[in-house]
Amino acid sequence: MMSLQKRLGRGLMAVLCAIFVLHWFAADWVIRSAAEKQMANRLADDGYSLLETLTYSDDDRVSFDSFHISSVYNRRLSGHYYLVKVDAHAYPSPSLLDFPLAVEPVGPDQSKRYHLTGPRGSPLLVLTLGAVRFGHRINISVAEDLSAVDHDITSIRLAYFGLTMLILFSAIGILRRDIRRSLQPLLAVGRELEQVAGGTRQKIDSDVPEEIVPLVAEINHLLELIVRRLQQSRTALGNLAHALKSPITLLLRASEASLLDAHPELRVQLNTQTEIIHRYIERELKRARIAGDQPAATAFNPRREMIALKKTLRAIYAGKPLDIQVTAPNHQVHFDREDMMEILGNLLDNACKWASKQVDVELSLQDGLVIRVADDGPGCEREDLSHLTQRGQRLDEAMQGHGLGLGIVADIVEGYHGQLAFGRSKTLGGFLATVSLPLRR
């Protein structure tokens, strides 16, 4: 979809262009009308001068004297012409030569202004005056060549067109700058939303124009709602896990009671089913705590978190001479801290559990976040790799644990639309777990 800035810009430019085109045609019409009106006034003066020279003779003839009007009417094809009609008799000006001026007749005390084509195709402005003198019907038509006026009007038209274009482009430039300035608050809201998505901000700044205040308030309300519900969900799940711990412990102790000595099969079934219930509850509780790719999740600093996790694991496995090497970027990335700690905690705990001396952890940011955890333990056979994320799957029953760690890692990775792969480390020779998570765009 076209951006709001482009849409506003194109709409305003179209309106401005339409207004300036109409304004230019209107101004052109006004300039031409004013010039022709001034010319018509001059033609009227010459026509009335001719009318005043009409004389009447005893033989009922009407004659006129052109001596009192300008000499340009006597010069050949001068561009100034007249034609006097007394009844059916026409008296053209000497300047017309033999050119038949096709004037339009008017009635007594009437006048008419119109255009004609004159000698050599020249455009003429003609003014015809009607009168009755000495009982005869008189029409006096005075014409002037418009070529010179057209030339002047064209010069004025070009100058005015250039001025109009200058004003138009200046107005467009000012409008585009004003549109960009007006949309700055929306762009700022967009940048703050990206920061919210990146986990570096929890809400949008409310210092925005009043038109988008309701939108910002609603977004902030939704963000607060997401965070609150996530926290409530985690708190409720923690309480549930704590509440279920005691009943399950009682069931396990009940299975060891002497009353069941006579029923070993029943004891095994009770132990097995209680353990299954424990695994299911543990798995589903951890799965429900996964935040996933939520915009309001708290950002994660890989290096800082890994240093703290490394200290914890060294304390847990104090009896093993483990060397845990960590390579991780030291800046915030958009991944929920709790989810990442769940992934890293399970992978590192698994690595420390099986490693002899060495555990390598590498976190890198390329097209996404890549986590590689390798150890120098016995590793895993190729045919067993596909079973590692199955519920309760433990390849070595002698090792402590519920077999849920890698399954939980797989659930979190799936929530982020990432990939989880297992294999053998080429450098340490033991187990290698690789997690690839795409970055949020």
Side-chain angles (χ1 to χ4, degrees):
M1 181 179 288
M2 184 185 299
S3 70
L4 191 58
Q5 181 173 334
K6 285 185 178 179
R7 185 177 298 180
L8 287 173
R10 290 186 181 183
L12 287 173
M13 280 191 287
V15 171
L16 272 179
C17 290
I19 291 175
F20 272 83
V21 167
L22 291 175
H23 178 264
W24 186 82
F25 278 110
D28 181 70
W29 177 82
V30 169
I31 293 171
R32 188 175 187 86
S33 297
E36 289 190 359
K37 186 177 181 180
Q38 186 177 5
M39 183 183 292
N41 290 335
R42 190 169 58 252
L43 294 176
D45 291 340
D46 290 349
Y48 285 118
S49 296
L50 281 171
L51 191 62
E52 293 299 324
T53 63
L54 294 177
T55 57
Y56 182 73
S57 60
D58 293 339
D59 55 355
D60 195 30
R61 295 183 59 186
V62 176
S63 60
F64 68 97
D65 183 4
S66 62
F67 178 77
H68 296 287
I69 64 173
S70 175
S71 61
V72 295
Y73 293 100
N74 294 321
R75 194 167 63 245
R76 296 161 57 90
L77 301 178
S78 63
H80 296 264
Y81 314 104
Y82 67 77
L83 180 64
V84 178
K85 284 190 174 181
V86 180
D87 296 328
H89 299 285
Y91 301 95
S93 65
S95 57
L96 273 173
L97 298 179
D98 296 328
F99 183 82
L101 195 63
V103 298
E104 299 179 11
V106 298
D109 299 326
Q110 293 181 347
S111 64
K112 186 174 182 179
R113 188 177 69 185
Y114 50 97
H115 295 87
L116 283 179
T117 301
R120 299 177 179 175
S122 59
L124 298 180
L125 178 66
V126 183
L127 178 67
T128 299
L129 303 174
V132 175
R133 289 288 188 275
F134 313 113
H136 295 273
R137 188 169 182 170
I138 310 298
N139 268 196
I140 298 177
S141 299
V142 187
E144 184 173 344
D145 191 347
L146 281 170
S147 299
V149 175
D150 285 343
H151 182 269
D152 293 340
I153 290 177
T154 299
S155 299
I156 295 173
R157 183 183 297 164
L158 290 175
Y160 188 72
F161 179 77
L163 179 62
T164 301
M165 289 295 102
L166 178 63
I167 295 174
L168 176 61
F169 286 121
S170 299
I172 289 174
I174 293 172
L175 276 175
R176 293 186 63 177
R177 187 173 61 182
D178 190 58
I179 290 172
R180 284 198 296 272
R181 186 177 60 83
S182 300
L183 292 177
Q184 282 301 316
L186 282 177
L187 298 176
V189 169
R191 289 193 292 271
E192 291 182 5
L193 277 174
E194 291 180 356
Q195 293 173 356
V196 170
T200 58
R201 177 186 285 268
Q202 294 297 318
K203 60 185 297 186
I204 301 173
D205 194 348
S206 59
D207 185 16
V208 294
E210 59 181 0
E211 290 83 358
I212 58 175
V213 166
L215 174 65
V216 170
E218 188 63 25
I219 291 175
N220 283 333
H221 174 70
L222 291 175
L223 291 174
E224 291 174 2
L225 189 63
I226 291 173
V227 172
R228 188 164 60 247
R229 288 186 175 176
L230 183 60
Q231 291 174 345
Q232 289 174 347
S233 173
R234 284 173 168 169
T235 301
L237 291 171
N239 294 337
L240 180 60
H242 182 73
L244 290 173
K245 185 177 180 180
S246 296
I248 291 175
T249 302
L250 289 176
L251 285 173
L252 290 172
R253 287 181 179 176
S255 66
E256 298 172 354
S258 57
L259 293 175
L260 296 178
D261 290 344
H263 306 280
E265 294 181 358
L266 180 59
R267 172 177 289 168
V268 171
Q269 288 183 2
L270 184 58
N271 272 332
T272 303
Q273 296 304 316
T274 304
E275 185 67 23
I276 291 174
I277 292 172
H278 185 207
R279 290 175 183 174
Y280 273 114
I281 291 174
E282 191 72 16
R283 179 186 176 88
E284 295 305 320
L285 287 177
K286 290 188 178 240
R287 185 171 181 163
R289 289 167 56 191
I290 298 172
D293 199 15
Q294 296 189 27
T298 306
F300 169 71
N301 185 307
R303 182 171 183 78
R304 188 169 59 212
E305 301 295 348
M306 281 305 304
I307 291 174
L309 184 59
K310 181 178 172 181
K311 292 180 180 177
T312 302
L313 288 169
R314 276 181 172 172
I316 294 174
Y317 293 93
K320 295 179 72 172
L322 288 178
D323 180 14
I324 303 175
Q325 296 293 328
V326 175
T327 303
N330 186 21
H331 57 79
Q332 299 278 47
V333 294
H334 170 62
F335 290 101
D336 181 76
R337 178 185 176 277
E338 300 298 328
D339 291 345
M340 295 304 105
M341 295 305 293
E342 196 76 51
I343 291 177
L344 291 168
N346 281 296
L347 292 180
L348 262 71
D349 181 64
N350 186 71
C352 291
K353 192 180 298 177
W354 293 98
S356 299
K357 295 181 180 178
Q358 183 76 35
V359 174
D360 283 354
V361 185
E362 179 184 358
L363 286 83
S364 61
L365 282 169
Q366 298 170 357
D367 293 335
L369 177 64
V370 178
I371 302 172
R372 295 185 181 89
V373 179
D375 62 67
D376 59 350
C380 182
E381 299 300 329
R382 182 181 298 275
E383 57 269 18
D384 295 328
L385 293 177
S386 59
H387 305 296
L388 289 179
T389 57
Q390 294 180 3
R391 296 177 178 181
Q393 182 66 39
R394 288 190 295 167
L395 299 181
D396 188 351
E397 296 293 335
M399 192 64 69
Q400 291 184 349
H402 300 293
L404 297 172
L406 296 181
I408 292 171
V409 172
D411 290 340
I412 298 175
V413 171
E414 182 183 358
Y416 282 86
H417 309 288
Q419 293 181 342
L420 172 63
F422 301 124
R424 186 171 291 276
S425 171
K426 294 182 179 178
T427 56
L428 300 182
F431 188 71
L432 171 65
T434 304
V435 174
S436 301
L437 302 177
L439 291 175
R440 180 182 177 85
R441 301 297 182 187

